[in-house]
C-alpha cells in the first residue's frame, strides 16, 4: 500500500503537542580545522547534547542516497509528502518566496532580466542577468512594467520584483497550463528560445508568454541593460491534500523567510506573524500560540546561509545560539520534539549536498542510547533510528505523539 | 518517480574521474580461528585501513536483505540497474562467460551433457552430468556436434563448450522467443522434460530445441556417457539502456574473467585487453588508459574463488595483495574511489551468501569517521552510509563526482 495513504488511515486524534524544528541545511562535513568534527559536532551545545542522550538519533535522506534536494523537496519530505511525487516548480517557489498570494490555477513564472541586442531577425541575448542590476532598479522596472501590462487577452498579469535581476510573473485566468518550455538559451550570443508549448493544452499560456515578452521589450526599449527577460519554471501550485486534514492536526508555522512560510501555507499550515527577525522573537510567538495548535513547524534559516557562505565558524555559532534557546522550548514540555534539517549544507561544500541529515527525536517513548556523545552526524549514523527516508518523519512524530492506531489485526 | 529515471534526469557532465573496484565476494563471516574477525578484518592491510579512515563506509544489499545474489544481479546493482527488473538468463550469462559474441535477439541456452538410456518410449535420464566428462572431451564433442548441426530450419545454431559437462547452444534467426521451459527433470530414472513453449510466440524456439535434441542424440549415439543433453535457461540479452548514455560517462572495464567482461560489455562499457592474469597487469592497463575514460570498473576475482574454496587464509592473502597495490591506484588521484564487492562469499559458508557487502567510498566530500578502526564489516555497519541498497552505488559515485544537479527547486 502507498505509504501516504496507509499513514492517513491510521491517524487518530490525541491531546499531544509536537514541535518540528528545522535548522536549515543542518548536516555538515568533517572539518580538518576542527579535528575532523562537523559543524554540529564542533559546536559547544550542552543542551542539545543532553537532549540527544534522551532521544532517538538517526540520519535521514530527504529524497534518496546521493540526491541533493532543493528546499521545497526537503520540506515536503519533512511534512510527510513524497518529494518525488509532488514537485513544486521554480515559478511557484519564487512566488512563495515573495509572499505572493498564489491562487490555485495561477501560472507562476520565474523571470530573469537580461540584456538583448535587437536585430532584424529578432533579439540576441548579450547578458543573461542584465549585468546584475540592483534590487532597487528591478523594483522600479517591475513597477513600470506592471503599469503598462495589466492584462493580456482575458488574463490578468502580475509582475513582482524578487532580488537583483530576478522577478516573478503570474498569469491568472482560464485555459492556462504550465507545460511551457523555458526560454533561457543558457548561453549568450544566441537568440532566446521561444516559450514552446509542451502539450496542446498549453498553447494559450505559451502565446501569452510570447506576447508578454514582446510588450516587455517595447516598454523597456530605452533601458541600457534591463531591456529583455528570460522566463523559466512555468508552474502551478501542486494539488496537495492539506496537512491538517491528513494528520488531524492544527498546525502552525513559525518561519522568518517567505519561501518557508510559503511552503507551510501551501500544505495548509497557519503561518504566524513574527515581529522581529530573531530567534527570541520566534520563540515568543511559539510561547504565545502554544495553547492554540498541536503541531509547530519552527524554521531557522541561518545554518544554511552560513553553510552556503563556507563560514563554518558562523554555522557553529548559529547552532550554539539555538542551543542557548533550547531550554525555552523544553519548558513548554512538548510531547514530541524533532530537531533536524531539510538537507545538508556543509560549510566545506558551500552548497546544498546529498549527505543525509542529522535527526533527533525526543519523546517519552524514545529508545535512547545511554552512550551517546551528543547530537552529531557520527552519533546519528549509529543511532537508534539508523538511516531512513525523511518521508517517515511524520510517521515517527505521530507515533510518538500517540496519534497512530495499530496497523491491521 | 522511478529511481533509475530520476537519476538519469539529474545527471550532468563534469571533468571528474571514478574507479569502482569490485573485490568479488568480498563480504565474510567471523572466523573463530581469527578471534572472530572476518577475512577482511583479519587481513593485514594498512593502506585500506588508512583509506577507510578518510572514507564513508557502509553495508550494501545487492538485492534485498536475506537474498543471495548471483554474480549478474550483484553487478547490475553496482552499475545502477535494478537487479529485480533486469534479469540476465542463465543461457546468456553462460555465453558471456565464454566470450561468445551474443547478438540482440539470439537465444542462448545452457546445456548439460547427460547420459540417457533409450527405450521405445523415448530416453530415460541415467546421469544428469554424463559422469562429469573432462573439458577436453566436451570440447571434442561440441566440435563434432557443431560440424553436424549448423542450421535447424532457417535458424543458425552455435554449439560451444564451457567446462566439464557444460556447454552453450545459441539459436540465431527470426521468430525466436526465450519463453521455453527447462528440460532438466532434476532426477534420474525418468524421461527428460519436453522443451515446452510457455507462450505461443515461443513455439518455434521450442520446436527447434526438440529437433536439436533429436539430432544431438543421433550424432552422439555411439558415445558411452555423453549421449544426451539437458537444456536450461533459454534467454536473450536484456534490453538495457547503455551505462555511458545513462550517466554521460566514458566507461571502461578492466576484468580478467570473461563473465565480468561480458557483463560490462552488456551495459556498453569498453572492455580493455589485459595481457597477463595478474593485478599488476590490470593496474598497468588502468594507468595507461587513465586519460581516456572517466569511469573504470576494476574487477578482482580471487576473493570469491578463495571464499568458495573455504580457504580463508587464501582469501585474506588476496585482500593483502590488493592492499599492497592500492597506492598505485591512489597515485592516479581519482575523484571518487569505491571499493566493495558484488556479494559476500564467506569462506566459512563456501558459497555466495546474502550478507550485505562492505562498502568504502573515498572522495573529497566523504563524511568520514575519525574513530574508524579500518575497512571491515563491523566498521561498515556503523559507518556514515549505514545499510543501503547497492542500487544506490551509482547515485553516490555520481554525487561525489559532481555529476548530479539538485533535485527540484
Amino acid at each position: 500500500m502507498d505509504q501516504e495513504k496507509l499513514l492517513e488511515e491510521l491517524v487518530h486524534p490525541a491531546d499531544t503537542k509536537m514541535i518540528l524544528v528545522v535548522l536549515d541545511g543542518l548536516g555538515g562535513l568533517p572539518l580538518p580545522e576542527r579535528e575532523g568534527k562537523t559543524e554540529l559536532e564542533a559546536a559547544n551545545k550542552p543542551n542539545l547534547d543532553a537532549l540527544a542522550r534522551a532521544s532517538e538519533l538517526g540520519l535521514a535522506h530527504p529524497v534518496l542516497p546521493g540526491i541533493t534536494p532543493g528546499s521545497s523537496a526537503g520540506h515536503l519530505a519533512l511534512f510527510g509528502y513524497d518529494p518525488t511525487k509532488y514537485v513544486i516548480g521554480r515559478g511557484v517557489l519564487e512566488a512563495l518566496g515573495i509572499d505572493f498570494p498564489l491562487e490555485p490555477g495561477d501560472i507562476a513564472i520565474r523571470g530573469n532580466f537580461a540584456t538583448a541586442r535587437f536585430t532584424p531577425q529578432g533579439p540576441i541575448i548579450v547578458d543573461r542577468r542584465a549585468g546584475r542590476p540592483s534590487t532597487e532598479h528591478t523594483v522600479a522596472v517591475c513597477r513600470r512594467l506592471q503599469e503598462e501590462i495589466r492584462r493580456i487577452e482575458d488574463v490578468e498579469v502580475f509582475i513582482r520584483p524578487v532580488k537583483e535581476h530576478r522577478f516573478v510573473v503570474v498569469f491568472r485566468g482560464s485555459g492556462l497550463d504550465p507545460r511551457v518550455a523555458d526560454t533561457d538559451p543558457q548561453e549568450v550570443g544566441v537568440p532566446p528560445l521561444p516559450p514552446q508549448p509542451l502539450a496542446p493544452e498549453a498553447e494559450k499560456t505559451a502565446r501569452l508568454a510570447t506576447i508578454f515578452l514582446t510588450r516587455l521589450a517595447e516598454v523597456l526599449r530605452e533601458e541600457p541593460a534591463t531591456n529583455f527577460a528570460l522566463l523559466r519554471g512555468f508552474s502551478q501550485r501542486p494539488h496537495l491534500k492539506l496537512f491538517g486534514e491528513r494528520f488531524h492536526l492544527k498546525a502552525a508555522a513559525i518561519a522568518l523567510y517567505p519561501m518557508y512560510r510559503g511552503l507551510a501555507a501551501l500544505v495548509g499550515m497557519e503561518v504566524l506573524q513574527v515581529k522581529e527577525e530573531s530567534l527570541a522573537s520566534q520563540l515568543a510567538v511559539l510561547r504565545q500560540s502554544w495553547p492554540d495548535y498541536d503541531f509547530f513547524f519552527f524554521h531557522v534559516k541561518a545554518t544554511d546561509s552560513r553553510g552556503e557562505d563556507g563560514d563554518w565558524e558562523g554555522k557553529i555559532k548559529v547552532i550554539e545560539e539555538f542551543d542557548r534557546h533550547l531550554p525555552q522550548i523544553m519548558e513548554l514540555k512538548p510531547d514530541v520534539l524533532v530537531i533536524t534539517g531539510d538537507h545538508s549544507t556543509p560549510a566545506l561544500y558551500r552548497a546544498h549536498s546529498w549527505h543525509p541529515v542529522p535527526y533527533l527525536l525526543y519523546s517519552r517513548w524514545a529508545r535512547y542510547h545511554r552512550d551517546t556523545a551528543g547530537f552529531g552526524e557520527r552519533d546519528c549514523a549509529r543511532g537508534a533510528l539508523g538511516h531512513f527516508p525523511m518521508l517517515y518523519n511524520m510517521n515517527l512524530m505521530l507515533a510518538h505523539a500517540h496519534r497512530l492506531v495499530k496497523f491491521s489485526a
Side-chain angles (χ1 to χ4, degrees), chain A:
Chain A
M1 197 197 287
D2 173 62
Q3 133 78 13
E4 296 181 36
K5 222 182 263 172
L6 184 148
L7 191 59
E8 289 164 27
E9 285 182 13
L10 301 180
V11 166
H12 85 141
D15 190 21
T16 47
K17 283 180 188 282
M18 294 176 260
I19 307 176
L20 169 63
V21 174
V22 177
L23 302 176
D24 204 295
L26 180 62
L29 279 175
L31 300 162
E33 296 79 358
R34 290 290 203 136
E35 297 165 344
K37 290 181 176 171
T38 65
E39 300 91 307
L40 182 57
E41 288 166 350
N44 177 19
K45 48 175 200 327
N47 297 312
L48 277 165
D49 290 340
L51 185 65
R53 285 188 285 273
S55 299
E56 296 187 357
L57 303 183
L59 285 175
H61 286 287
V63 185
L64 279 175
I67 307 300
T68 298
S71 296
S72 69
H75 278 84
L76 283 178
L78 282 163
F79 298 159
Y81 297 81
D82 184 342
T84 66
K85 217 160 112 183
Y86 310 100
V87 174
I88 297 179
R90 185 172 292 274
V92 168
L93 204 65
E94 209 75 32
L96 296 177
I98 53 166
D99 268 339
F100 184 88
L102 216 52
E103 294 185 3
D106 284 357
I107 302 289
I109 311 159
R110 150 91 178 260
N112 286 348
F113 282 115
T115 309
R117 177 165 50 80
F118 291 90
T119 73
Q121 288 76 41
I124 299 290
I125 300 302
V126 176
D127 186 327
R128 290 173 54 239
R129 294 184 187 86
R132 289 211 182 254
S134 69
T135 303
E136 293 71 45
H137 182 76
T138 292
V139 167
V141 168
C142 284
R143 197 176 302 131
R144 270 177 59 203
L145 283 171
Q146 183 69 84
E147 278 164 17
E148 301 288 334
I149 313 172
R150 299 211 161 264
R151 289 191 93 74
I152 301 176
E153 297 181 5
D154 60 342
V155 162
E156 265 186 293
V157 178
F158 303 89
I159 301 154
R160 295 281 188 280
V162 179
K163 209 178 163 181
E164 296 175 344
H165 59 290
R166 284 148 54 197
F167 67 102
V168 171
V169 190
V170 174
F171 294 161
R172 179 172 296 163
S174 62
L176 300 176
D177 188 293
R179 285 170 286 178
V180 177
D182 294 352
T183 74
D184 188 342
Q186 302 286 344
E187 53 181 327
V188 292
V190 296
L193 303 174
Q196 196 83 42
L198 302 174
E201 298 90 330
E203 269 166 26
K204 179 175 175 181
T205 312
R207 185 176 68 240
L208 297 178
T210 306
I211 298 170
F212 172 76
L213 287 173
T214 307
R215 293 186 55 187
L216 173 141
E218 281 166 25
V219 175
L220 303 181
R221 65 186 176 283
E222 302 295 330
E223 285 283 333
T226 49
N227 68 351
F228 199 64
L230 300 170
L231 303 180
R232 300 170 63 186
F234 289 73
S235 44
Q236 280 175 321
R237 283 179 61 149
H239 293 287
L240 293 169
K241 275 179 83 171
L242 297 182
F243 185 86
E245 283 174 24
R246 290 183 65 200
F247 304 128
H248 295 285
L249 289 173
K250 222 172 152 239
I254 304 175
L256 294 173
Y257 272 59
M259 193 207 283
Y260 308 95
R261 289 206 300 266
L263 284 167
L266 206 62
V267 300
M269 291 186 194
E270 196 151 329
V271 179
L272 305 182
Q273 289 303 314
V274 186
K275 272 185 203 152
E276 284 168 28
E277 289 210 2
S278 73
L279 207 44
S281 191
Q282 284 183 277
L283 284 166
V285 174
L286 177 64
R287 260 195 311 277
Q288 286 151 22
S289 54
W290 186 245
D292 304 331
Y293 302 91
D294 35 34
F295 184 96
F296 292 87
F297 159 52
F298 191 100
H299 181 264
V300 176
K301 175 68 178 168
T303 22
D304 179 58
S305 311
R306 294 298 83 70
E308 295 217 326
D309 297 342
D311 175 8
W312 55 82
E313 292 301 333
K315 189 171 169 191
I316 290 169
K317 284 208 182 75
V318 176
I319 296 166
E320 292 177 344
E321 192 203 351
F322 177 78
D323 186 73
R324 285 192 296 275
H325 289 81
L326 180 58
Q328 295 183 40
I329 294 179
M330 299 311 292
E331 274 166 21
L332 297 170
K333 299 196 189 307
D335 295 285
V336 181
L337 170 63
V338 164
I339 303 175
T340 185
D342 54 340
H343 54 78
S344 293
T345 306
L348 276 188
Y349 193 68
R350 293 171 168 264
H352 288 206
S353 84
W354 60 89
H355 302 87
V357 187
Y359 183 97
L360 176 157
L361 185 149
Y362 169 79
S363 102
R364 189 179 161 190
W365 312 112
R367 191 184 267 172
Y368 56 81
H369 288 180
R370 275 281 179 92
D371 63 352
T372 298
F375 188 29
E377 283 79 352
R378 201 174 47 182
D379 275 297
C380 287
R382 297 169 187 180
L385 291 168
H387 288 62
F388 64 98
M390 188 64 95
L391 181 57
Y392 298 148
N393 171 55
M394 285 308 300
N395 299 36
L396 291 168
M397 291 188 78
L398 291 165
H400 280 267
H402 279 294
R403 285 173 178 271
L404 295 179
V405 297
K406 189 159 69 179
F407 172 70
S408 180

